[in-house]
Every structure is written in structure tokens, then in C-alpha cells.
Amino acid sequence: MRPNLTTDFLVIGGGIAGLMYALKACESGSVTVLTKAGSTEANTNYAQGGIASVWSVDDSFESHVQDTLIAGAGLCDRAAVESIVRDGPDVVRDLIRFGTRFSRIEHGGEDEYDLGREGGHSHRRVLHAQDLTGQEIMRALTEAARRHPNIRTLENHVAIDLLIEDSTGGSPGACWGAYAYDRESQEIGRILARATILATGGAGKVYLYTTNPDIASGDGLAMAYRAGAKVGNLEFYQFHPTCLFHPAAKSFLISEALRGEGAILKLPDGTRFMKRYADAAELAPRDIVARAIDSEMKRHGLDCVFLDLSHRDAAFIRSRFPNIYSRCLGYGFDITTGPIPVVPAAHYMCGGVMTDLNAATEIPRLYAAGEVAMTGLHGANRLASNSLLEAAVMGRRAASASAKMLGAVAANPPEFPEWDPGRAIRGEERVLITQSWDEIRRLMWNYVGIVRSDRRLARALRRIELLKEEIHSYYWDHIIDSDLIELRNLVTVAELVVRSAMAREESRGLHYNIDHPEIGGPEWLRPTVLRR
Ligand code: FAD
Ligand code: SIN
């Protein structure tokens, strides 16, 4: 890394939100994209089901809005839902323009885009690329970004903290970029920018079992919180109902689109159980399906339940779900001939850094988009395939908003000091990091998972406070590396999730507390907001 690099737009994260931002902002200035691992290692790359957007003539914006509001259990911001849903078709056209090849099908003699169905959607409206949608979107967007002369991508660069100007007259100081750690050279430098966007994705690694890749440690959320931004609705962590249950599979996702095509959830003896929990059965919103599976597993002392699509034609299954078919076969399960074992796992952070509908945070010149952000679209539970939609729409809007304010930014940034390692020494005992990491993830899974209680949350908070103290003193005494940066962020995320869960004394959407099992009154129809 070159020290003190300067750019017009700093994009922290190269998933769908960051790349949509970069591909628009590059029309107005120089763009630097940081990715903390390889350029395609992002949650986006693993998306299977697809991107929800009104596309067929039978569908309507009002229907997509209604489905989103129902899933969100009273906490969606209607204005956010309407505006993001309405931008759907246009942003899908942009993805196609950048080269994304969504699956097509012949229908009534016409060649059209194939529309998938998922839980909570009353229409087929999910554009997909077989069951590798995210990989195809990342291929197209990274290639488009690589071709553009104004976009430079720095792989293996981990943003540590934001550069925030001292505040004046009570209003928060502006953001001027970030400190970043180069994993190859092991150096820390300043990246000065006139506009900065957090597009760092989610925080699934805060839980022991997750569908998310290793990059998902909530860095952007923790950085924004430390910088003084408002974060909201973090009690609503979504658990995906169906991940493959196999010791080597590392929570491999079995897309909801299988249930959309008729897959049935069963107990080991073949009994179907979802009808007892919801009229929509397997196609009920995710919170209901995940809780039903959790409850059946606890009731019968099971390690997993089973998902069965084998009643559908084998050739159809192989062509619609080639990736899931071959990955499962590799683990010894043939989805065309019988049921496969599945369990829920942490999947998606519905809350995040609070933004307006231009993706602006409260900190001047700091934007946030994608899974790290909270616009009000998801409320207490995200509707399937609405996150790629939100990330693409908001990434694009953030770029337009940043470009508009660029001319008003002072030419000279304030003085930000070089990163000072102080008297930090090299940490020899990796076990101190791995132990804290394991403890956080296990206690979050056991105490702050699908079903919570006041006692479990209080226990979790006590332990997290202790861990936080230990981690913070270790952090400032040792030369930092990416593991330590992530651990410091992870403990902050864990604390914020627990504090948010404790603040909501009711059960709603994804937040279920056995001590407050009912949905609360109108006084709970507000986001849970935390600020440092
Ligand atoms: P990401 O795609 O996660 O990108 C984050 C980027 O930030 C990465 O480049 C990472 O390197 C970078 N980063 C993180 N921290 C730092 C740091 N400190 N410094 C520098 N860079 C950093 N949603 C749907 O709508 N439809 C689906 O079908 C679907 N399927 C899914 C399947 C799986 C298995 C998973 C895990 C998620 C799925 N989701 C789906 C959710 C969706 O994929 C994500 O919410 C979305 O892709 C997030 O995009 P993003 O751009 O916000 O973040
Ligand atoms: C899936 O394919 O089931 C994931 C869809 C999503 O998370 O929106």
C-alpha cells in the first residue's frame, strides 16, 4: 500500500453494493475500491436464489410492497419499501447492461427471463442465474469495474477505522476516508477521500453456524458505530432455515428456491410438519420456517430435519439447481432421489448503519449501502431476495448523491496523523485471539439465536463485556493484523446485537423472546436505535 493515497470516492467493500456505487461514481471522479480478501470474496458471490423485482405483467409494485411489509412484521418504513421496490426493474436492467446473464426460459413460444418463487412472495419475481446468481453478478460487475480507467481495486486491504474530522458546534465532523491495513505488506496507510461509502456486507461470523463467508465480520457496522453513527434494528438477525447438515459442508446453503419449486420439509420418519405452523407451509416467511424447524428439532431431540424435492423431475432439478445438485452429490446426497438433512444458520443482518433514502448516514460524506446499512426496507424480517435488490438500488443512489456534493467539499483535508503503533509488540499467542473468537460465536449461537430469553441475554451481555475489555487491551498492546481487526469488530457487533435484543421486550419478526412471547403494542412500532 502506498501511504497517504488520495481518491475522490473511497468504496469500502467490493460486493454488489460497492461495485454498483463504483460503476456510477466513476463517471464523476477517481474511485478506489477496497476488498479485504480477493476481489470476488463477498456474500454477494454466494447468493443463490436471485434478485427480487417486479418483472412480469401479472405482478405489480403494490404486490411486491405488500409482501415486503408483511414479512417485515410492522417495522418496515413504507416510504423506503415503495421507493426501493419501484427502482427494481431499472436496477435489474443496469445489471444486465453491465453484463449479468440471468437465466432465460421459453414460455408460450417466447424467450423470456425465468422468474423464481421464494417464501413470502405472492408472485414469481426472482431473477436468477440458475442457482449461482451471486457468482454471475460478481463476474459481470468485477469485469466492468476492471475495464474502467477511473476505478482502482485494492485487494487484501482491510479498512480499520474511518478518518473523521473533529466536530464543530455540536454537529458531527465529516468523513475523509479511512485507515487501511495491507495484508501483504502488513503496512497501515491513510486513504483520503472526498466521499466514503461503507459497503462491507453483513456479520454472520458473529454466530457459530452461518451461511456467510469469512469476510462477514461486521467491520463496517463497528467502524460506523465507533465513528458516532446511529445503528438500528440489530436484534433482527435472520436465520436461513435450510443449510446442508454435514460436518464438511460449512453451512452450505440450500436455496429457498427449492421450496419455491415444491420442496417439502420433513421429520426423519417422513412426516410433513410446516402445515402445523403456517397456512403457507414451506413458503411462509423465513422467521416462521426457521423457528418451526428449531422447535421440531428441540421437541424430538433431532440434529436436523429433512428437505425433499425428489418428487420433481430429475432432469428439471439438475438444470434448475446444478450447483446445489452437484455440491450435495459430493457430500453423498442425491437431491433427485431422496431427502437431504438441513438445519438453520445465521444468514442476514436486517439492521445496520441507519441511512436516508440516498444512503447518507448522519456523518457528513459517509454513506452506507447493502447489508451493512439499514434503510427501513426489511423491518423485523427480510423478504427473500430483497437484499440484492436493496444493495444494488442503494449503491447506485449513494453514488449519485456523493457525486452531487463533491464540488462543495473543501479542497484541503484536515491533518490526520499517520497510524501510530505506539509501544505495541507482536502478538505471539494466537490462542488468545482464537479463544475469544470461538467464545463470542458460541455464546451468540446459544444465547442470542433463534429463540432468546431475558436470562440468556443478560448472561450473554456479561460475558461479552468481559471479552470486550480483554480484546480492547490486547488490541492496543499488540501490532495489529486482520484477525485482530476482525475480532475487535466482532465483539462490538455481538454487544450491539445483544443490547438491541434486550431493548425489545416483545416478540416480533426475527426476534423471539420466550419471556415476552407476544407481539407488542404500538409503542414497539419503532426501530431500536443505538449510538456510541
Ligand atoms: P458483500 O457482498 O458481502 O460484500 C462485502 C465486501 O466488503 C467484500 O468485498 C469484503 O471484502 C468487503 N469488506 C468487508 N469488510 C471490509 C473491511 N474492513 N475492509 C475492506 N473491505 C471489507 N440475497 C438475495 O437478495 N438473494 C439471494 O439469493 C441471496 N442468497 C444468499 C446466499 C448466501 C449463501 C448468502 C451468504 C447470502 C445471500 N443473500 C441473498 C444475501 C446477499 O447475498 C447479501 O446481503 C448481499 O450480497 C450483500 O451485498 P453487499 O454488497 O452489501 O456485501
Ligand atoms: C436463498 O437462495 O434461499 C437465499 C435467498 C436470500 O437470502 O434472499
Side-chain angles (χ1 to χ4, degrees):
M1 128 108 62
R2 275 168 292 161
N4 308 341
L5 201 133
T6 301
T7 185
D8 289 324
F9 304 96
L10 174 62
V11 188
I12 308 179
I16 187 170
L19 291 175
M20 289 299 276
Y21 179 98
L23 287 162
K24 180 115 195 108
C26 65
E27 295 163 9
S28 312
S30 61
V31 180
T32 301
V33 180
L34 301 188
T35 67
K36 76 177 189 189
S39 62
T40 54
E41 189 56 359
N43 270 0
T44 303
N45 203 43
Y46 295 83
Q48 295 183 353
I51 179 165
S53 168
V54 172
W55 199 263
S56 92
V57 286
D58 311 330
D59 200 358
S60 67
F61 290 129
E62 192 44 34
S63 167
H64 191 174
V65 167
Q66 277 310 320
D67 292 345
T68 304
L69 294 174
I70 291 168
L75 278 197
C76 299
D77 174 342
R78 192 178 177 113
V81 178
E82 284 179 352
S83 94
I84 292 171
V85 160
R86 278 185 182 277
D87 267 10
D90 196 50
V91 88
V92 167
R93 279 192 288 275
D94 247 6
L95 288 169
I96 295 169
R97 189 168 61 82
F98 288 129
T100 309
R101 293 187 284 255
F102 290 112
S103 293
R104 302 187 70 99
I105 193 172
E106 187 158 325
H107 188 243
E110 301 279 329
D111 178 41
E112 333 180 309
Y113 284 108
D114 185 32
L115 300 176
R117 177 147 191 219
E118 291 178 12
H121 286 280
S122 55
H123 287 83
R124 283 190 173 268
R125 61 167 75 100
V126 182
L127 287 108
H128 62 97
Q130 293 180 309
D131 56 355
L132 288 167
T133 310
Q135 196 173 302
E136 171 57 12
I137 290 175
M138 284 302 287
R139 181 201 62 72
L141 297 185
T142 48
E143 278 176 18
R146 208 170 290 139
R147 281 193 300 268
H148 204 288
N150 279 359
I151 302 178
R152 135 181 75 184
T153 299
L154 299 177
E155 295 186 1
N156 292 310
H157 279 67
V158 189
I160 305 171
D161 268 318
L162 298 165
L163 297 170
I164 305 288
E165 193 174 13
D166 287 340
S167 60
T168 46
S171 50
C175 180
W176 282 94
Y179 286 110
Y181 170 77
D182 178 345
R183 293 170 72 175
E184 277 158 20
S185 69
Q186 301 185 0
E187 287 169 348
I188 295 171
R190 284 169 303 178
I191 304 183
L192 291 168
R194 297 202 283 163
T196 303
I197 181 165
L198 292 167
T200 48
K205 295 306 280 187
V206 79
Y207 285 101
L208 189 58
Y209 302 108
T210 176
T211 62
N212 292 188
D214 289 345
I215 54 105
S217 50
D219 298 358
L221 183 81
M223 280 189 273
Y225 179 72
R226 283 196 292 272
K230 279 199 294 196
V231 298
N233 280 357
L234 291 166
E235 65 273 38
F236 300 114
Y237 219 101
Q238 183 171 71
F239 287 72
H240 196 291
T242 57
C243 297
L244 189 65
F245 179 66
H246 186 282
K250 220 181 164 208
S251 304
F252 175 65
L253 185 81
I254 305 296
S255 175
E256 186 150 333
L258 266 78
R259 281 176 280 133
E261 297 299 345
I264 289 166
L265 282 161
K266 294 176 171 173
L267 295 173
D269 66 2
T271 313
R272 186 176 184 185
F273 57 87
M274 269 316 299
K275 286 211 154 135
R276 279 193 279 113
Y277 291 89
D279 290 341
E282 280 80 4
L283 286 179
R286 267 183 206 169
D287 56 330
I288 296 172
V289 182
R291 235 176 357 257
I293 295 175
D294 185 67
S295 149
E296 291 296 316
M297 282 168 56
K298 287 196 173 121
R299 202 149 72 97
H300 300 282
L302 303 171
D303 288 333
C304 63
V305 295
F306 291 83
L307 185 72
D308 194 356
L309 186 64
S310 61
H311 50 281
R312 294 293 308 263
D313 175 60
F316 163 75
I317 295 175
R318 279 193 295 268
S319 76
R320 174 67 179 85
F321 303 109
N323 176 46
I324 295 172
Y325 169 73
S326 66
R327 285 288 297 271
C328 287
L329 210 55
Y331 296 116
F333 305 112
D334 184 345
I335 62 171
T336 66
T337 58
I340 53 169
V342 290
V343 283
H347 185 60
Y348 184 84
M349 181 169 80
C350 289
V353 183
M354 296 177 78
T355 72
D356 65 14
L357 289 181
N358 283 317
T361 71
E362 275 193 333
I363 297 177
R365 302 210 298 278
L366 177 67
Y367 297 82
E371 193 166 337
V372 67
M374 176 196 148
T375 59
L377 174 71
H378 308 308
N381 182 24
R382 173 179 68 99
L383 187 65
S385 290
N386 262 359
S387 50
L388 290 177
L389 168 70
E390 183 194 44
V393 167
M394 296 308 293
R396 213 172 60 154
R397 281 190 197 173
S400 306
S402 329
K404 272 193 203 128
M405 63 85 201
L406 213 58
V409 179
N412 296 319
E415 267 301 307
F416 288 103
E418 296 277 350
W419 183 266
D420 177 12
R423 282 171 300 156
I425 55 163
R426 197 159 292 282
E428 300 297 345
E429 292 197 274
R430 299 309 292 172
V431 69
L432 296 178
I433 294 182
T434 52
Q435 172 64 25
S436 303
W437 184 273
D438 290 346
E439 258 181 83
I440 294 169
R441 299 184 67 199
R442 191 169 292 277
L443 80 84
M444 287 298 286
W445 183 260
N446 288 333
Y447 293 159
V448 200
I450 298 173
V451 175
R452 299 154 181 186
S453 73
D454 287 349
R455 207 156 144 201
R456 288 183 214 173
L457 293 174
R459 265 186 179 224
L461 188 61
R462 275 202 301 276
R463 280 163 173 70
I464 286 168
E465 276 172 348
L466 197 67
L467 281 161
K468 192 171 84 173
E469 217 180 285
E470 288 174 7
I471 291 165
H472 282 192
S473 77
Y474 189 90
Y475 182 87
W476 292 112
D477 289 345
H478 291 81
I479 291 173
I480 58 173
D481 60 13
S482 49
D483 288 345
L484 194 49
I485 295 168
E486 287 183 346
L487 181 63
R488 175 188 183 221
N489 292 331
L490 208 71
V491 77
T492 300
V493 173
E495 182 190 353
L496 294 173
V497 174
V498 175
R499 284 196 190 283
S500 304
M502 289 174 98
R504 186 167 289 282
E505 294 179 346
E506 62 158 353
S507 288
R508 179 187 299 273
L510 297 159
H511 173 67
Y512 185 79
N513 182 330
I514 49 177
D515 294 315
H516 313 280
E518 305 298 330
I519 193 158
E523 72 276 19
W524 291 105
L525 288 175
R526 51 166 170 75
T528 306
V529 181
L530 298 177
R531 196 208 296 265
R532 184 178 51 119

